[in-house]
Amino acid sequence: MAAVFFLIIRILLIVALYGFLAWALYTLYRDLRTAGTSVQARRAPAITLAITNTLEEQTRTFTNMEVLIGRSQSSSFPIRNETVSANHARLSYRQSQWWVEDLHSTNGTFLNEERITTPTVIMNQDDLRCGQVNIQVKIEE
Amino acid sequence: MLQLAVAFVSLYAVLLTFAPVIKLHSWQAGLSYWHWIGFAIWLGGFLLLYRQSDKLAPGADPYLLPLMMLLSGWGLLAVARLSPNLGLRQSLWMALGLVLFLYGLRLPAVLVFLRRYKYIWLVSGLIITALTLVFGTYPGGTGPRLWLGCCGMYLQPSEPLKLLLTIYLAAYLADRLPVSFSLIGLLAPTLVLVALALALLVIQRDLGTATLFILIYTLTLYLASGRKRMLLLCLAALLAAGAIGYRFSDVVRLRVDAWLYPWLDPSGSSYQLVQSLIAVASGGLLGRGPGLGSPGVVPVAVSDFIYPAVVEETGLVGAAGLVLAYALLILRGLVVALRAPLNFHRYLAAGISAYFACQVVLIIGGNLRLLPLTGVTLPFMSYGGSSLLTCIAAVLILVLISRQSDQDPAPLVSVRPFTFFYACVIAALGGILLATGWFGQVRQQELTSRTDNPRRAIDDRYVQRGSLLDRHNHPIVSSSGAPGEIVRSYLVPSLSLVTGYSSPQYGQAGLEASLDPYLRGLAGSPSLLIWWNNLLYGQPPPGLDVRLSIDLALQDAADAAMGDAHGAAVLLNASTGEVLAMASHPYFDPNRLDAEWNSLVASAGAPLVNRATQGLYPPGAAIAPIILSEFIDSGDLPDLPEELDYPLPDGKRISCAYEPADSTSWGSVLSAGCPAPLALLGNRLFSTRLNSLFQRFGLTSRPAIPLETAPPQVAPVSDVKLASLGREGLLLSPLQMARVAGVISNEGSLVSPLLALAVDTPQQGWVILPAGDSAAILNPGPAAEVGSLLAQPGKLYWEVVAVAGEGEHAVSWFVGGSLEQWKGAPLAVAVAIETNDPALARRVGEAILQEALNTD
């Protein structure tokens, strides 16, 4: 009889061990899902780009994490101007900041009239120039 | 999770307490309580830690503490189960470790401190390790001197050195990595220090730690820089180091050989490994139950071989749980690394994950023969204060890193090194589980039934082994005593060469070996009973008694008649083949095997050899019944020669065993073993006919008997005269000769000898064991005629006495059997005495026959 109880406790032992592991795996899985949804739900502060020195004024506001500037139609902010390269510059939101990065454009990207070579933090009211096109940047506070 | 971890460890502790009751099948057994001290320390310490970490480390990774709790509690109990004394020590170390953990949580800015003084950490670690060169000791007596000891406490500096190396590397890389991308420039300073550490370890012959060092070093570099070239370089370096070590270092060669060819030397250099595999195999699926197995038989089970010890008692199920827990721990380490706010923190956490992963894979892989054995510890499970403290400190660092994760993670070049590394870890752990399953399931039978599995002998102390009884149910061998102290007693030492022995030290022999499945209850018991006993107790069912054909009265008569003479005597029931008596002198006393083993093995009298089945003697003129039967069957006998002696080709003369009573009667001269008449008969036969005659009488085959038998030695006949005198390379055992005699007494049938008659099964009572075949090789008429020709005047038996061989190698034979007129069961006797004393052989044979005829 004692042996049967012993066996039952042994089975409970296994249940406890696997209960522990299953619980750990379950919460890990749940974490993963919430992490996924929170990443999905994460929104960058809206950034507004306005071209100020061409004939047709162009203003757009973006709420996603990445904005591509260039002459090509596939850019998120296409500019019809010869001095702008097809893929000219990229704005991206990382570490609670908007960053601008030159994509090896022919005529260069300038932030407040300084040519940028590395990814640089961009602030509200900064002036961005791609080739000969001036862009006023507004970032939602 | 906390509750489940506590439940698991508490249940484990409860099981260990009651295990003696189950093992001994009785409540008389004392319960074991010692491990509860460790349990109390563990429970109290961790509950306190939980409370404190909620306050001191909010937001820390929630999995690390429960995992550490589960693993260290399990390890503590596993160690306490193997050795209560070491378990107590381990509890003290754990208490120390938990205090350290609490203190570390309270200290501000531990990580900054670690980073700032990185060179001091590593150098001081190296200095302490170097001190073992001078002051090193080995706590267990003689062995590698890797410990620093004082006042009963021992520390192995190479354990913390691993963590110090990780800290140093992380700090160094965090300072340099974004700046310098040239590999050589980056690595040069670290290489110097690491090489220094390696050199120290190699001098100390702590090769496991040295391997671990190389692995941690490269994996940290890889995780930090994301260059796969590192891994290839590391692999190449390890292989090269292994090859060089194999050439120049005995330790490495021993380890590698034991890994590649473990079955060559299972009792020597690969003893540990083979025992480890047997332990895993005896665990099977569910294990034998905590406290019920015998994991202590694997050397150093407490530290290096804790994994097989755990698997034996919890089985593949427990092993899978354990490995999964390690997989989770490593995963959380990597997650902490990815979320770390600073590069230093990231590299440190990654290094610690690599440290855990390498250690787990190296030691379990070594235990399971997947990798060469490296003596590193299994984190949290193995006994060892330094190892436990280091592991606790490593988890402390992970908790501290994850605590500060309110900042965003540091920029990451690529997540690929981390995922690739973890995939490798999962693959390795999966391989470990597959190997555990392979040894525990597929090869279980083969491994557990090996003779060097001491569990079988240990089981015999706990479970009643079956008795061997004589044909009238008088005990010959029996077991008695309380469970746990059952001893086997051999009541008839003169039968020692038939019954053999079952010794924990020297294995099994004789019937104890061949009838082992019955005596152990594994054959003949219902399979449900076997399964149930194995599940409940981890033991085989009670053994079954076996009834032998031996008649103790006749055996005593044979032994008394033989006296001190060397030789053997066999008495068969000629119609059934039952062996009624089998004496082989000198014999030994199996009760005193342990004390006498060495002298028995060395003894010139070879008392461990059963002369009746394994002794091979030239038969000489004792094969007269065979030759004679061929003539009775086919025609008349020629006239007797006048000269009874016979000159051999080398000039020697051989003569009769004794003066025949009537030198004109064929029967009388052949009974007296006279060579010349036999040679005359043989001369009339063709050699091919003699060959087939020998074959028919079973001289060329081994008798089917559950004892060791010698391979028959029958050379093809070239000289018929010599062959018919039994002098041409022919060697026979007394058992074979008794079968020959049986043919004459049993109407021409050759029987198979039979020793085990019946088994007492729990459900059907006595079940008769199958007998061998018998073959009619002679017509009943001629067989009876041979018997009456060789009959002794006024007796109910026939006989042939002969001497074969010369000088020291002379053998005196007596072959005889009952006559047709005898209405009882037909009998057959063969006696071989290892001296030139035909009178003695005759006395012994006639005494046995007389006794058998009188009692029947």
Side-chain angles (χ1 to χ4, degrees):
Chain A
M1 207 55 214
V4 176
F5 278 119
F6 197 81
L7 183 66
I8 292 171
I9 301 179
R10 274 170 66 192
I11 293 167
L12 287 178
L13 180 79
I14 295 169
V15 170
L17 175 62
Y18 280 87
F20 176 93
L21 295 168
W23 181 251
L25 288 173
Y26 171 68
T27 52
L28 271 177
Y29 168 73
R30 221 178 43 188
D31 260 17
L32 194 71
R33 274 189 47 181
T34 48
T37 43
S38 82
V39 165
Q40 268 182 359
R42 212 156 84 188
R43 286 274 173 269
I47 186 165
T48 307
L49 303 179
I51 301 178
T52 51
N53 65 341
T54 54
L55 293 176
E56 39 189 306
E57 291 212 349
Q58 190 181 344
T59 306
R60 265 182 83 178
T61 304
F62 299 90
T63 50
N64 49 341
M65 314 271 291
E66 196 174 80
V67 179
L68 208 63
I69 300 172
R71 195 158 32 87
S72 105
Q73 281 302 314
S74 59
S75 320
S76 31
F77 192 71
I79 304 171
R80 265 183 279 159
N81 186 299
E82 264 78 72
T83 61
V84 176
S85 301
N87 292 312
H88 194 101
R90 180 194 293 141
L91 298 172
S92 53
Y93 187 75
R94 275 183 284 133
Q95 289 161 327
S96 317
Q97 307 270 18
W98 275 101
W99 297 69
V100 61
E101 171 185 11
D102 182 59
L103 299 175
H104 307 289
S105 59
T106 319
N107 296 318
T109 306
F110 299 82
L111 186 65
N112 301 329
E113 291 309 313
E114 270 183 60
R115 184 157 188 166
I116 55 173
T117 48
T118 55
T120 312
V121 173
I122 188 167
M123 310 289 283
N124 193 15
Q125 303 294 346
D126 274 350
D127 290 319
L128 192 67
R129 180 157 68 80
C130 299
Q132 295 301 324
V133 179
N134 288 346
I135 302 171
Q136 172 82 51
V137 177
K138 276 185 195 149
I139 298 172
E140 179 193 54
E141 294 293 318
Chain B
M1 271 177 92
L2 173 72
Q3 290 88 339
L4 283 167
V6 172
F8 172 77
V9 178
S10 318
L11 287 172
Y12 205 98
V14 169
L15 286 174
L16 285 185
T17 299
F18 289 103
V21 173
I22 306 303
K23 204 165 185 180
L24 298 177
H25 300 240
S26 115
W27 283 97
Q28 305 299 317
L31 304 178
S32 58
Y33 291 114
W34 282 105
H35 55 276
W36 286 100
I37 298 177
F39 177 80
I41 292 177
W42 171 82
L43 187 65
F46 269 97
L47 287 183
L48 189 68
L49 204 61
Y50 246 84
R51 286 262 178 90
Q52 294 292 314
S53 73
D54 267 359
K55 263 187 273 167
L56 297 171
D61 191 289
Y63 299 92
L64 290 171
L65 269 185
L67 280 169
M68 176 163 90
M69 189 169 178
L70 178 85
L71 289 170
S72 58
W74 193 348
L76 185 66
L77 290 181
V79 169
R81 179 256 175 279
L82 284 163
S83 155
N85 189 19
L86 293 183
L88 220 54
R89 276 170 164 263
Q90 185 82 338
S91 323
L92 293 180
W93 282 113
M94 181 170 293
L96 196 64
L98 293 180
V99 167
L100 179 96
F101 200 105
L102 271 176
Y103 185 65
L105 279 180
R106 278 167 196 279
L107 274 183
V110 177
L111 296 172
V112 177
F113 190 59
L114 286 180
R115 181 176 190 175
R116 189 169 303 150
Y117 301 109
K118 56 179 183 284
Y119 279 99
I120 294 185
W121 301 130
L122 188 61
V123 169
S124 57
L126 285 175
I127 289 173
I128 297 176
T129 312
L131 282 181
T132 59
L133 286 177
V134 188
F135 303 109
T137 53
Y138 181 74
T142 50
R145 306 197 314 169
L146 304 176
W147 282 261
L148 280 180
C150 169
C151 342
M153 300 263 280
Y154 291 95
L155 212 78
Q156 193 177 2
S158 58
E159 290 285 343
L161 190 61
K162 296 169 197 166
L163 193 58
L164 293 174
L165 171 85
T166 316
I167 293 170
Y168 163 75
L169 262 182
Y172 176 82
L173 289 174
D175 287 351
R176 291 295 171 84
L177 207 53
V179 182
S180 158
F181 267 100
S182 126
L183 204 58
I184 311 274
L186 179 69
L187 295 187
T190 63
L191 271 180
V192 172
L193 280 169
V194 171
L196 199 62
L198 276 180
L200 256 178
L201 293 171
V202 169
I203 291 171
Q204 280 285 55
R205 302 206 152 188
D206 191 354
L207 299 173
T209 311
T211 317
L212 206 60
F213 248 69
I214 301 181
L215 282 172
I216 293 176
Y217 178 76
T218 27
L219 281 172
T220 311
L221 273 182
Y222 169 66
L223 288 174
S225 69
R227 297 186 192 183
K228 260 189 199 156
R229 247 175 305 167
M230 300 283 184
L231 296 183
L232 294 177
L233 268 175
C234 163
L235 209 62
L238 277 181
L239 284 179
I244 292 171
Y246 191 81
R247 282 291 300 269
F248 298 109
S249 159
D250 294 340
V251 184
V252 177
R253 192 173 321 141
L254 215 64
R255 290 277 172 90
V256 172
D257 281 344
W259 170 55
L260 290 176
Y261 318 106
W263 313 113
L264 288 185
D265 190 11
S267 59
S269 58
S270 46
Y271 179 71
Q272 266 190 332
L273 188 57
V274 170
Q275 289 298 325
S276 158
L277 296 183
I278 293 176
V280 169
S282 46
L285 184 64
L286 290 176
R288 299 178 71 187
L292 297 185
S294 330
V297 299
V298 185
V300 287
V302 143
S303 60
D304 290 6
F305 283 81
I306 193 103
Y307 179 76
V310 167
V311 175
E312 173 172 359
E313 303 209 320
T314 57
L316 181 60
V317 174
L322 184 64
V323 168
L324 205 55
Y326 280 119
L328 277 174
L329 182 68
I330 296 161
L331 175 69
R332 290 321 291 181
L334 290 174
V335 168
V336 168
L338 285 175
R339 290 190 178 158
L342 296 172
N343 270 338
F344 167 59
H345 293 178
R346 171 166 297 154
Y347 301 155
L348 187 53
I352 288 173
S353 310
Y355 157 69
F356 281 138
C358 295
Q359 199 137 323
V360 169
V361 171
L362 270 186
I363 187 60
I364 302 186
N367 291 161
L368 292 175
R369 208 202 149 206
L370 293 175
L371 298 169
L373 189 59
T374 41
V376 295
T377 53
L378 190 58
F380 296 111
M381 297 290 285
S382 291
Y383 171 73
S386 334
S387 160
L388 186 66
L389 286 185
T390 309
C391 292
I392 289 179
V395 171
L396 170 69
I397 292 176
L398 288 181
V399 166
L400 289 177
I401 292 173
S402 65
R403 174 173 70 170
Q404 299 170 345
S405 61
D406 49 338
Q407 307 169 34
D408 262 10
L412 179 69
V413 183
S414 158
V415 77
R416 278 207 58 205
F418 288 84
T419 48
F420 179 72
F421 169 67
Y422 197 62
C424 292
V425 169
I426 291 292
L429 294 180
I432 281 170
L433 278 187
L434 277 181
T436 309
W438 166 255
F439 288 117
Q441 309 296 319
V442 182
R443 296 194 51 193
Q444 182 181 29
Q445 205 58 41
E446 181 193 340
L447 281 169
T448 49
S449 58
R450 282 176 66 90
T451 49
D452 55 355
N453 180 3
R455 282 166 196 80
R456 298 172 357 131
I458 291 169
D459 284 343
D460 286 341
R461 287 217 313 268
Y462 287 92
V463 184
Q464 182 83 23
R465 188 174 165 86
S467 302
L468 291 173
L469 308 172
D470 95 330
R471 61 187 302 116
H472 303 301
N473 285 349
H474 297 305
I476 299 174
V477 181
S478 66
S479 289
S480 57
E485 289 144 17
I486 294 179
V487 270
R488 193 102 173 126
S489 9
Y490 297 84
L491 308 173
V492 188
S494 65
L495 271 170
S496 57
L497 291 165
V498 176
T499 60
Y501 50 83
S502 179
S503 151
Q505 208 171 348
Y506 304 109
Q508 296 178 327
L511 291 178
E512 288 272 39
S514 57
L515 296 177
D516 190 57
Y518 289 117
L519 297 174
R520 205 181 282 282
L522 294 178
S525 298
S527 53
L528 190 67
L529 181 73
I530 299 174
W531 180 79
W532 187 238
N533 259 289
N534 192 34
L535 185 66
L536 284 188
Y537 305 104
Q539 290 168 345
L544 307 182
D545 295 348
V546 178
R547 187 193 291 150
L548 303 182
S549 58
I550 300 286
D551 185 321
L552 275 186
L554 296 176
Q555 179 71 29
D556 282 348
D559 282 321
M562 294 265 302
D564 290 335
H566 288 197
V570 180
L571 172 64
L572 295 181
N573 174 330
S575 75
T576 58
E578 293 169 11
V579 179
L580 299 173
M582 182 179 273
S584 170
H585 288 213
Y587 48 86
F588 62 95
D589 185 353
N591 299 309
R592 290 188 306 189
L593 200 62
D594 291 345
E596 294 179 351
W597 179 264
N598 287 330
S599 62
L600 288 175
V601 170
S603 166
L608 292 172
V609 174
N610 185 343
R611 288 168 156 77
T613 56
Q614 289 172 285
L616 285 176
Y617 304 103
I623 61 167
I626 301 179
I627 309 290
L628 193 56
S629 70
E630 190 66 4
F631 278 89
I632 300 287
D633 210 11
S634 60
D636 294 331
L637 289 167
D639 287 339
L640 268 173
E642 288 190 2
E643 183 64 60
L644 294 177
D645 289 358
Y646 182 78
L648 288 177
D650 60 5
K652 277 192 196 136
R653 289 183 73 82
I654 48 174
S655 50
C656 303
Y658 59 87
E659 195 60 37
D662 177 5
S663 60
T664 58
S665 136
W666 269 100
S668 186
V669 295
L670 288 182
S671 271
C674 295
L678 195 58
L680 181 73
L681 289 182
N683 202 20
R684 299 193 161 199
L685 297 173
F686 290 111
S687 55
T688 49
R689 198 155 163 202
L690 263 181
N691 277 333
S692 70
L693 191 61
F694 289 165
Q695 203 170 356
R696 261 195 293 150
F697 273 84
L699 306 188
T700 52
S701 56
R702 287 183 185 216
I705 190 165
L707 292 175
E708 291 282 309
T709 52
Q713 302 223 359
V714 184
V717 174
S718 56
D719 181 331
V720 284
K721 281 194 199 168
L722 284 181
S724 57
L725 287 175
R727 282 178 174 270
E728 214 190 37
L730 187 61
L731 293 177
L732 297 180
S733 69
L735 179 64
Q736 281 176 303
M737 205 55 126
R739 288 176 77 203
V740 169
V743 174
I744 307 301
S745 294
N746 184 36
E747 305 179 330
S749 282
L750 184 69
V751 291
S752 287
L754 186 63
L755 253 176
L757 294 183
V759 182
D760 191 8
T761 63
Q763 286 187 324
Q764 294 146 295
W766 286 103
V767 171
I768 307 295
L769 291 171
D773 306 328
S774 67
I777 58 170
L778 211 60
N779 291 326
E785 209 174 316
V786 172
S788 55
L789 203 59
L790 297 171
Q792 291 295 295
K795 303 285 187 190
L796 276 169
Y797 53 81
W798 60 268
E799 66 175 48
V800 172
V801 178
V803 176
E806 284 86 24
E808 269 185 46
H809 300 293
V811 182
S812 308
W813 282 97
F814 172 92
V815 181
S818 58
L819 291 176
E820 203 187 6
Q821 291 85 327
W822 167 244
K823 293 306 169 204
L827 299 164
V829 175
V831 178
I833 303 287
E834 293 174 2
T835 51
N836 189 349
D837 192 350
L840 176 62
R842 193 178 179 191
R843 266 208 312 280
V844 172
E846 290 185 348
I848 295 171
L849 270 174
Q850 212 47 267
E851 180 74 21
L853 293 171
N854 287 343
T855 51
D856 203 11

